[in-house]
Every structure is written in structure tokens, then in C-alpha cells.
Amino acid sequence: MSRIVLAAVATPGHVLPIFTIAEHLIGQGHDVTIFSGSLFQQKGEALGATFIPFDKQVDVDYRYLEKYFPERAEHPPGNTQMALSLRRFFAEPIPVLSKQLMQVIEEGQADLLIIDNTFYSVLPLLQKPAEKRIPVIAIGVSPLPWSAKDAIFWGARIPPELLPADLTREQLVDEETHQLIEQVRAAFNQSLAAVDCLPLTGDHNDVLMSGVDRFLQLATQSFEFSRDDLPETVEFIGSLPVKVEEDKTQISWPDESQPLILVTQGTLANIDFSQLILPALHALATLPVRVLAITGGRSIDVLGNDLPENARVVEYLNFEHWLPKSSIFITNGGYGSLNSAIRHGVPLVVAGTGDGKLEAVARVIWSRCGISLHTDTPSEQQLYQAVTRILSSPIWHQQSQIIKADYDAHNALASITRHINELMTQ
């Protein structure tokens, strides 16, 4: 069998899909090496993979981004914060990680490389002619990042049916945003120059997408804007399966027949619970529903003891156990969380604008499987109205079930296996 390296940016939304693929490949008999942050080493090795952690110079713990990038806290979610993340978190590590990646590939005599689509340290490798490097497959773990005339730093997006035919990207880019774009391009080019590579010839995402041998997007066309300009290497493969394990969390309510509402702020934007979790708990306190909030690893103590009677709060839980039981999923819009809800046909209420979430939220609006509140800090009234609107009309559930059926018709792991076999026999 083949020797395969899998590389991922060290955050859960990027690493966990790669782990699922790694476990599948190991089960097929492949020799698998995972290259990511040391925080994930124990879990990676438990799969049976060889794990090589990032160099300590760039091994960032995603739970404490403000520790590594204190200036991040100075900017609200939006273009400025996104530009900073692209410069510091994604572009800056390229000189270190690209060299380390080449060592991992060469020392392990790898036959193929699989990356998450934001692992930009692959860009130096992609500058080599295809016949002088190993094949590369990118897994789209974020909203499809191919440039569009209404997309700036993955947002904001305009539903295609409302997109003016004569719109130009320049019309949406003011001078401040133009400067941010130039700063991001300069940061990528500086990192590439540090490893004797040519500067970018286009947007960093476009260069990566058009440079890899396959780009396999974790979504289906029912949850993606219609596009006629994508590279031929792009394929929509649906959602990765998640192991359904017995959930030992003991959670109960007096009336188990009431609709269940799940609430989470994810694993990155979950420092300030007054943004979403607390307003949601209070907004739904008087409704005949059960509310289950997940803090994503943060201590539940900061929420205090005065919680509504219909609310329960936990740090973690098994989404695959609880989502199928849910009537609505309230989240700040992480792509992985949205895909989980869609896979189970659960309508969404989304409240997120930072860290690329505008693009994810735009897909919810376009596919009509949920309601966007267009803010990171929704009011109790906004949350109450959104939830009651979904509960009072069957159309949201019906549309979510249509998209679920589309996802059910895809087998992501089988598609990945097919593409690996094709590339290995070329």
C-alpha cells in the first residue's frame, strides 16, 4: 500500500476531518503520517498513525490565540481581523513549515500528500512541476474559497439570484480594504521569498486550488453557490462520517417531548459567552423547549448558577448523538458545525461574522436551511424571533431534509479512496 502524509492547520475544524481520513486510510492498509500541531499528537497516534508535530517556533495552541497574537483582540470580527489572521497565523509560518513538510515527505518516502485547504505551507511544493513532486489532494474543510467578484476575505457574499450582472469586485473594495488585501498578499510573498519561491500570481486560495491535483470539497452542490469557473480538479464529495459512540452524558428535562435546541459558540470564538450562549439561554427561557448549550471546552462556571429551568450546559458532548434529536441548532457559524447540522437535516440559526464565517453563513442563507442574524452579538429578541419562526413553520425542516438527502447520496471516504487510487496509478 501507499505511504501517505496528511497535513492540517492545528485547529479542531481542520484537524478532525484529516483524522477521519487518516483512520480510514490506515484501515485500508496505508502507511500514514500526520503533520500538525503537537496538541493533537496523542489523538493522532491513537489512530495508529506516525505523528510529527509542527516546529516549536510555529506550534500555536488555538485555545489561546490572543497569547500568540495579542493584537487580534484589538479588532472586532471582520476584514481587519481576518487579514491579521491570514498574515500571522497562515502566511507567517510558511518558511518553517514548508521546509519541515519537505523533510517529512522525503524522509518518509511519501507517495502522496493530503492537506486541509488552508495549509498554505504547501505553496512552495506546488511551484514545482507536477512530474517533480508527489501528488497533492486538498480537502475543503472551509467554504469553497475560489475567488468571486463579490467575495473579500471569504465574505461578504451576495446570493447569486441577487447579484447584479454588472457588479465588479472593485465596487466592493474601499481603500481600507484594498490596503488589507495588499498587506495579505505581501505577507504571503515575503514568506515565499524566504524559501526562494516565486511570488503569488493570484489570490492565495486560487493558487492553491488550481495547483493541487485534486480539490475535494466537504459539501454538496445543494449547499454551495452555483459556479461555472471552478478548476476541473474540484469535486463535491459530501460530508465525512463521524463515529457514533454511546453518549454517557446524563442530561434530562421534566418533559422530554419538548423540542430540543442546541447552542454553541464553537471552539475559537467561545471566550465571551455573552455573545451568543447567554442571550440564547435567556431568550428561550420562557418557551416550551429544552435548551442544551455546549461551551466547547470552556468551564461552565463562568455562566453562573442562575440558569433558566429549561437549560442544561455542558463542556463537551457527542454531536452525533444529540443533533438527530434536535429541532434547531444555534451556532456562530463554523463550517464544520454547519455541515454536521445539515448532514442530520437540522435547521440552523447562525450568528457569526468573524474568522471566515461570513462565507459559511452565506451558504445557509442561499440554501434556505436556516436563518442568519447577521451579527456576532444577537439580542435576546432576535434569537427568540428566529427560533419561534422556525418552530412555527415546517418549511425550514423540509428544506433541511432535502439537503440532508443530497448529503446522504454522497460517500466522501469512497470518493477520497477513488482519487487516491487514480493518482497512484498515473
Side-chain angles (χ1 to χ4, degrees):
M1 302 301 283
S2 302
R3 290 163 293 193
I4 301 175
V5 173
L6 296 96
V9 170
T11 64
H14 298 248
V15 172
L16 297 183
I18 292 297
F19 276 9
T20 298
I21 297 169
E23 186 173 16
H24 173 69
L25 296 178
I26 292 169
Q28 292 186 323
H30 294 289
D31 182 352
V32 170
T33 297
I34 298 174
F35 179 46
S36 190
S38 60
L39 188 65
F40 299 93
Q41 182 164 356
Q42 185 175 358
K43 289 184 179 180
E45 291 177 341
L47 299 175
T50 299
F51 192 98
I52 298 178
F54 289 165
D55 188 289
K56 292 182 179 180
Q57 299 177 69
V58 293
D59 192 11
V60 172
D61 186 334
Y62 73 92
R63 297 170 298 180
Y64 309 104
L65 289 180
E66 282 71 18
K67 170 185 173 182
Y68 302 92
F69 314 115
E71 63 271 39
R72 186 176 186 271
E74 299 173 6
H75 306 290
N79 284 342
T80 301
Q81 191 181 82
M82 174 58 70
L84 174 66
S85 296
L86 287 168
R87 296 197 321 269
R88 299 293 311 281
F89 187 73
F90 291 100
E92 202 170 275
I94 289 176
V96 174
L97 291 183
S98 63
K99 290 180 180 179
Q100 194 178 5
L101 174 65
M102 290 307 302
Q103 292 174 350
V104 172
I105 291 172
E106 293 169 0
E107 292 176 3
Q109 298 180 315
D111 301 306
L112 182 135
L113 172 65
I114 298 176
I115 61 168
D116 91 74
N117 68 284
T118 65
F119 188 79
Y120 301 115
S121 295
V122 77
L123 290 173
L125 176 65
L126 295 179
Q127 289 197 4
K128 295 184 177 183
E131 64 273 12
K132 293 185 178 181
R133 61 165 174 80
I134 63 173
V136 181
I137 295 176
I139 304 297
V141 302
S142 70
L144 191 75
W146 188 253
S147 285
K149 58 185 178 181
D150 65 322
I152 306 164
F153 295 137
W154 299 336
R157 292 304 305 268
I158 302 171
E161 58 268 30
L162 300 179
L163 191 64
D166 58 350
L167 178 73
T168 64
R169 193 166 187 262
E170 288 69 29
Q171 290 175 283
L172 298 177
V173 181
D174 56 23
E175 182 57 33
E176 180 181 358
T177 305
H178 180 74
Q179 291 178 4
L180 294 175
I181 294 171
E182 291 299 317
Q183 289 171 10
V184 170
R185 178 71 63 87
F188 273 92
N189 287 338
Q190 183 178 357
S191 288
L192 290 171
V195 287
D196 299 321
C197 286
L198 297 172
L200 294 175
T201 56
D203 180 84
H204 51 279
N205 286 314
D206 293 354
V207 172
L208 186 147
M209 286 186 67
S210 57
V212 297
D213 300 277
R214 299 286 192 278
F215 190 96
L216 308 181
Q217 180 67 25
L218 295 178
T220 73
Q221 289 282 190
S222 61
F223 192 59
E224 182 56 51
F225 300 120
S226 301
R227 303 290 296 272
D228 57 7
D229 60 345
L230 296 176
E232 294 181 355
T233 53
V234 176
E235 180 177 313
F236 295 88
I237 63 173
S239 180
L240 290 170
V242 179
K243 282 187 176 180
V244 180
E245 300 175 354
E246 181 182 358
D247 192 280
K248 298 180 180 179
T249 307
Q250 299 297 317
I251 306 173
S252 63
W253 290 263
D255 186 353
E256 296 287 342
S257 67
Q258 293 180 334
L260 176 63
I261 315 294
L262 285 188
V263 187
T264 183
Q265 288 184 206
T267 55
L268 287 179
N270 65 347
I271 296 175
D272 181 4
F273 290 133
S274 67
Q275 288 185 321
L276 181 58
I277 287 183
L278 282 171
L281 295 180
H282 294 305
L284 308 180
T286 60
L287 288 176
V289 298
R290 296 171 292 151
V291 183
L292 178 54
I294 308 99
T295 67
R298 303 284 181 182
S299 172
I300 64 176
D301 294 338
V302 298
L303 293 173
N305 298 319
D306 188 23
L307 296 176
E309 291 184 6
N310 66 343
R312 306 290 185 269
V313 182
V314 296
E315 292 187 11
Y316 290 108
L317 54 68
N318 185 340
F319 268 68
E320 295 306 301
H321 175 85
W322 289 97
L323 268 174
K325 304 174 182 291
S326 304
S327 297
I328 298 174
F329 183 39
I330 302 176
T331 176
N332 53 3
Y335 194 65
S337 295
L338 298 186
N339 258 318
S340 294
I342 290 164
R343 186 174 65 250
H344 290 293
V346 180
L348 291 146
V349 173
V350 288
T353 63
D355 297 313
K357 290 172 182 172
L358 283 172
E359 277 282 6
V361 170
R363 268 90 177 158
V364 173
I365 299 171
W366 179 80
S367 62
R368 297 178 175 85
C369 62
I371 295 173
S372 171
L373 303 181
H374 304 289
T375 177
D376 288 280
T377 55
S379 66
E380 293 179 23
Q381 182 180 13
Q382 286 177 296
L383 288 160
Y384 179 90
Q385 291 176 341
V387 168
T388 53
R389 184 180 172 192
I390 291 176
L391 290 176
S392 63
S393 173
I395 190 171
W396 303 99
H397 179 73
Q398 292 168 357
Q399 181 63 15
S400 297
Q401 289 296 311
I402 291 172
I403 300 175
K404 176 183 182 298
D406 188 22
Y407 271 64
D408 288 345
H410 290 72
N411 186 324
L413 290 177
S415 296
I416 292 169
T417 298
R418 173 171 55 84
H419 285 289
I420 289 174
N421 292 337
E422 289 176 0
L423 290 171
M424 290 292 92
T425 56
Q426 287 182 356

